[in-house]
Amino acid sequence: MIKEILRTHINAALDKLNYQHSREFIVEVPNNTEFGDYSTNAALVLSKLNKLAPAEMAKALIKELKKNKSFKKIEIAGPGFINFFLSPAFYHEIAWQIHELGDQYGNSEHGQAEKILLEFVSANPTGPLNIVSARAAAFGDTLYRIMKKVGYDPAREFYINDAGNQVDILAESLELRLREIQGENIGDFPYEAYHGEYVKHLAQKLNSTEGVRVFMLTEKDRMEHLKEYALSELLEMQRLSLEKFGVVFEGWVSEKTLRMEGVVEEVLSYLTEADCTYEKDDAIWFCSTKYGDDKDRVLMKSDGSITYFVPDLAYHLTKVQRGYTQLIDIFGPDHHGYVPRLKAAFKALKYDDSMLEIIFLQQVNLFESGERVKMSKRAGKIVTMDDLVSVVGKDAARYFFIARKANAHLNFDLELALKQNNENPVYYCQYAHARICSLIKKAKKDKLLPKTFKAEMLDKLVKPEELALIQKIADLPELLISIADSREPNRLANYVEELAAMLHKFYAKYQISNPKTKELSQARILLIDTVRSVMLICFDLMGISAPEKM
């Protein structure tokens, strides 16, 4: 926000001086506060264009900019950097604008309503969602919320892999559990079958409603019925888990439905017509090496069955056909080989492969009492999204998953997530919000809370810590745009922690509410209420709650 205002002032000064400024210049916060609140390299990067020495151009710019009352002081530094010291009045105006905007603060049209499809989670519908899916859900949903905030037109989609061998195994596993319930001795349960307790629960539920009638069906009809039943139940289980986690998908796309609609055959035809397939060993191959892949890929096996790559490609082409101009897939680390073949197919079919973006989320490791928890369903340790949320809560789970970069391994410390103190980052941030609510409640009790806030109240704020808080909350709009474009939601978590730290330090150093200094108290109450409003926006974007009492 402030950077954009300063760019506007600098551009106006350049125009006034008839200087050319086709090149981009930087406005940034110096590492050392002695060098001002903000600085720019405008004179350095534009001096050659204007046939001037950088220092000469900087002096001319400073002379023009000093006519603006926003600046307390402007200095030249080094070979032509310009350092700005902003006036308190400038900060007061910014704070009032933020306060007036409320929950609309940070909204922008930066994305120009570009249609973007975010595909994430997309777990096989053969069991409950695990913690890897939980990380993908938190990451994808937060990125979606931020992109929507800054003017993109994003949508969330879940691709259901409800066809193929894993679904057959699921139906067979369910049948075996049904037979067990009805007294049949199964012996050792097959290793390749699904062993989870959820399969037993499915069998018990089905047995209570249909009983032996399932076994009156022909084998073919029985297996189809078991597939449909298991998939329906497990998809609903996954949907409810995601809903409890604060994630709702606009679209659920079924691989089985795509196959039934003939989209897969269409893709094979497209590739054949593009002259990028050939036959070898009774199989049909895609010559993907011509388009940057490390090896050619089988499309149809010798037995006539297609590989999983074909329906995946068909699904991605439907995304383009539905008008999305940017396709963002959020996958686990085991999908790296997936990218070259998919991009190769896009190139072969004359689509722009740059519209396809894959974000890889690294491994999640759970730690308890300093030791890594083994990811084993049989061991009875926490592995599902529901189990994790039931132990640490939605807020801690989402925050911890968001707070790390996508390409960084995440060590999830269960004990830390449960701590009710400042060591726990989500508690630390939420407590800052609760503290503000408590201070406002106290001010109301002390009859210091005005009926309506007014801009002139902020004139009393001159302390460095007060102006620093305003500067921090003013950073949010540009930060959100940068996060949306860099796909780094972790930076929002970092921002909230820094803002919370500044609030806690401000509270420790200054008395916020004091009947003896009513005007100053009201100014500080207005300031912290504005900070609270910004925190609410951040919490909402991360999908976590903002408690008023802790």
Side-chain angles (χ1 to χ4, degrees), residues 125 226-237:
L226 291 173
K227 280 183 197 177
E228 289 180 5
Y229 176 81
L231 287 171
S232 174
E233 290 288 321
L234 289 170
L235 270 175
E236 181 63 9
M237 179 195 297

PDB file of all heavy atoms in Angstrom, residues 125 226-237:
ATOM      1  N   PRO A 125     -10.115 -42.608  -3.639  1.00  0.00           N
ATOM      2  CA  PRO A 125     -11.277 -42.771  -2.747  1.00  0.00           C
ATOM      3  C   PRO A 125     -11.343 -44.180  -2.163  1.00  0.00           C
ATOM      4  O   PRO A 125     -12.377 -44.837  -2.192  1.00  0.00           O
ATOM      5  CB  PRO A 125     -12.454 -42.494  -3.693  1.00  0.00           C
ATOM      6  CG  PRO A 125     -11.976 -42.963  -5.020  1.00  0.00           C
ATOM      7  CD  PRO A 125     -10.501 -42.706  -5.062  1.00  0.00           C
ATOM      8  N   LEU A 226     -20.584 -53.513  -4.865  1.00  0.00           N
ATOM      9  CA  LEU A 226     -19.649 -53.241  -3.768  1.00  0.00           C
ATOM     10  C   LEU A 226     -18.769 -52.028  -4.075  1.00  0.00           C
ATOM     11  O   LEU A 226     -18.470 -51.221  -3.189  1.00  0.00           O
ATOM     12  CB  LEU A 226     -18.782 -54.468  -3.487  1.00  0.00           C
ATOM     13  CG  LEU A 226     -19.509 -55.686  -2.884  1.00  0.00           C
ATOM     14  CD1 LEU A 226     -18.580 -56.882  -2.827  1.00  0.00           C
ATOM     15  CD2 LEU A 226     -20.035 -55.354  -1.490  1.00  0.00           C
ATOM     16  N   LYS A 227     -18.362 -51.907  -5.336  1.00  0.00           N
ATOM     17  CA  LYS A 227     -17.563 -50.745  -5.751  1.00  0.00           C
ATOM     18  C   LYS A 227     -18.348 -49.458  -5.522  1.00  0.00           C
ATOM     19  O   LYS A 227     -17.850 -48.500  -4.916  1.00  0.00           O
ATOM     20  CB  LYS A 227     -17.203 -50.840  -7.238  1.00  0.00           C
ATOM     21  CG  LYS A 227     -16.049 -51.749  -7.581  1.00  0.00           C
ATOM     22  CD  LYS A 227     -15.796 -51.644  -9.082  1.00  0.00           C
ATOM     23  CE  LYS A 227     -14.961 -52.810  -9.566  1.00  0.00           C
ATOM     24  NZ  LYS A 227     -14.753 -52.763 -11.034  1.00  0.00           N
ATOM     25  N   GLU A 228     -19.566 -49.436  -6.051  1.00  0.00           N
ATOM     26  CA  GLU A 228     -20.392 -48.229  -5.965  1.00  0.00           C
ATOM     27  C   GLU A 228     -20.677 -47.857  -4.509  1.00  0.00           C
ATOM     28  O   GLU A 228     -20.618 -46.686  -4.133  1.00  0.00           O
ATOM     29  CB  GLU A 228     -21.702 -48.432  -6.724  1.00  0.00           C
ATOM     30  CG  GLU A 228     -21.531 -48.467  -8.239  1.00  0.00           C
ATOM     31  CD  GLU A 228     -22.852 -48.674  -8.965  1.00  0.00           C
ATOM     32  OE1 GLU A 228     -23.908 -48.686  -8.288  1.00  0.00           O
ATOM     33  OE2 GLU A 228     -22.824 -48.836 -10.202  1.00  0.00           O
ATOM     34  N   TYR A 229     -20.962 -48.887  -3.696  1.00  0.00           N
ATOM     35  CA  TYR A 229     -21.261 -48.633  -2.289  1.00  0.00           C
ATOM     36  C   TYR A 229     -20.031 -48.070  -1.567  1.00  0.00           C
ATOM     37  O   TYR A 229     -20.120 -47.044  -0.865  1.00  0.00           O
ATOM     38  CB  TYR A 229     -21.726 -49.921  -1.604  1.00  0.00           C
ATOM     39  CG  TYR A 229     -21.951 -49.756  -0.124  1.00  0.00           C
ATOM     40  CD1 TYR A 229     -23.126 -49.202   0.359  1.00  0.00           C
ATOM     41  CD2 TYR A 229     -20.967 -50.134   0.796  1.00  0.00           C
ATOM     42  CE1 TYR A 229     -23.336 -49.022   1.722  1.00  0.00           C
ATOM     43  CE2 TYR A 229     -21.158 -49.958   2.158  1.00  0.00           C
ATOM     44  CZ  TYR A 229     -22.342 -49.415   2.616  1.00  0.00           C
ATOM     45  OH  TYR A 229     -22.541 -49.236   3.963  1.00  0.00           O
ATOM     46  N   ALA A 230     -18.888 -48.740  -1.734  1.00  0.00           N
ATOM     47  CA  ALA A 230     -17.663 -48.325  -1.036  1.00  0.00           C
ATOM     48  C   ALA A 230     -17.228 -46.923  -1.476  1.00  0.00           C
ATOM     49  O   ALA A 230     -16.882 -46.076  -0.639  1.00  0.00           O
ATOM     50  CB  ALA A 230     -16.544 -49.329  -1.288  1.00  0.00           C
ATOM     51  N   LEU A 231     -17.262 -46.675  -2.778  1.00  0.00           N
ATOM     52  CA  LEU A 231     -16.852 -45.366  -3.287  1.00  0.00           C
ATOM     53  C   LEU A 231     -17.764 -44.258  -2.777  1.00  0.00           C
ATOM     54  O   LEU A 231     -17.294 -43.186  -2.386  1.00  0.00           O
ATOM     55  CB  LEU A 231     -16.843 -45.366  -4.817  1.00  0.00           C
ATOM     56  CG  LEU A 231     -15.703 -46.143  -5.487  1.00  0.00           C
ATOM     57  CD1 LEU A 231     -15.936 -46.241  -6.990  1.00  0.00           C
ATOM     58  CD2 LEU A 231     -14.355 -45.485  -5.202  1.00  0.00           C
ATOM     59  N   SER A 232     -19.068 -44.533  -2.791  1.00  0.00           N
ATOM     60  CA  SER A 232     -20.026 -43.527  -2.318  1.00  0.00           C
ATOM     61  C   SER A 232     -19.786 -43.191  -0.846  1.00  0.00           C
ATOM     62  O   SER A 232     -19.747 -42.020  -0.453  1.00  0.00           O
ATOM     63  CB  SER A 232     -21.452 -44.035  -2.520  1.00  0.00           C
ATOM     64  OG  SER A 232     -22.377 -43.150  -1.952  1.00  0.00           O
ATOM     65  N   GLU A 233     -19.597 -44.221  -0.025  1.00  0.00           N
ATOM     66  CA  GLU A 233     -19.389 -44.020   1.411  1.00  0.00           C
ATOM     67  C   GLU A 233     -18.063 -43.312   1.694  1.00  0.00           C
ATOM     68  O   GLU A 233     -18.002 -42.391   2.524  1.00  0.00           O
ATOM     69  CB  GLU A 233     -19.421 -45.373   2.134  1.00  0.00           C
ATOM     70  CG  GLU A 233     -20.786 -46.032   2.185  1.00  0.00           C
ATOM     71  CD  GLU A 233     -21.739 -45.314   3.138  1.00  0.00           C
ATOM     72  OE1 GLU A 233     -21.282 -44.868   4.205  1.00  0.00           O
ATOM     73  OE2 GLU A 233     -22.931 -45.198   2.791  1.00  0.00           O
ATOM     74  N   LEU A 234     -17.008 -43.746   1.002  1.00  0.00           N
ATOM     75  CA  LEU A 234     -15.696 -43.170   1.279  1.00  0.00           C
ATOM     76  C   LEU A 234     -15.563 -41.743   0.754  1.00  0.00           C
ATOM     77  O   LEU A 234     -14.918 -40.906   1.391  1.00  0.00           O
ATOM     78  CB  LEU A 234     -14.597 -44.064   0.685  1.00  0.00           C
ATOM     79  CG  LEU A 234     -14.411 -45.399   1.414  1.00  0.00           C
ATOM     80  CD1 LEU A 234     -13.485 -46.321   0.649  1.00  0.00           C
ATOM     81  CD2 LEU A 234     -13.875 -45.170   2.822  1.00  0.00           C
ATOM     82  N   LEU A 235     -16.187 -41.470  -0.382  1.00  0.00           N
ATOM     83  CA  LEU A 235     -16.169 -40.096  -0.887  1.00  0.00           C
ATOM     84  C   LEU A 235     -16.897 -39.153   0.059  1.00  0.00           C
ATOM     85  O   LEU A 235     -16.461 -38.023   0.288  1.00  0.00           O
ATOM     86  CB  LEU A 235     -16.803 -40.037  -2.280  1.00  0.00           C
ATOM     87  CG  LEU A 235     -15.855 -40.224  -3.461  1.00  0.00           C
ATOM     88  CD1 LEU A 235     -16.636 -40.275  -4.768  1.00  0.00           C
ATOM     89  CD2 LEU A 235     -14.816 -39.117  -3.520  1.00  0.00           C
ATOM     90  N   GLU A 236     -18.018 -39.629   0.595  1.00  0.00           N
ATOM     91  CA  GLU A 236     -18.748 -38.816   1.553  1.00  0.00           C
ATOM     92  C   GLU A 236     -17.919 -38.615   2.823  1.00  0.00           C
ATOM     93  O   GLU A 236     -17.904 -37.521   3.405  1.00  0.00           O
ATOM     94  CB  GLU A 236     -20.087 -39.481   1.896  1.00  0.00           C
ATOM     95  CG  GLU A 236     -20.960 -38.717   2.879  1.00  0.00           C
ATOM     96  CD  GLU A 236     -21.417 -37.350   2.383  1.00  0.00           C
ATOM     97  OE1 GLU A 236     -21.210 -37.033   1.196  1.00  0.00           O
ATOM     98  OE2 GLU A 236     -21.981 -36.581   3.191  1.00  0.00           O
ATOM     99  N   MET A 237     -17.197 -39.661   3.236  1.00  0.00           N
ATOM    100  CA  MET A 237     -16.304 -39.549   4.398  1.00  0.00           C
ATOM    101  C   MET A 237     -15.230 -38.494   4.145  1.00  0.00           C
ATOM    102  O   MET A 237     -14.946 -37.654   5.002  1.00  0.00           O
ATOM    103  CB  MET A 237     -15.633 -40.910   4.673  1.00  0.00           C
ATOM    104  CG  MET A 237     -14.667 -40.914   5.849  1.00  0.00           C
ATOM    105  SD  MET A 237     -13.606 -42.387   5.866  1.00  0.00           S
ATOM    106  CE  MET A 237     -14.823 -43.687   6.077  1.00  0.00           C
TER     107      MET A 237
END
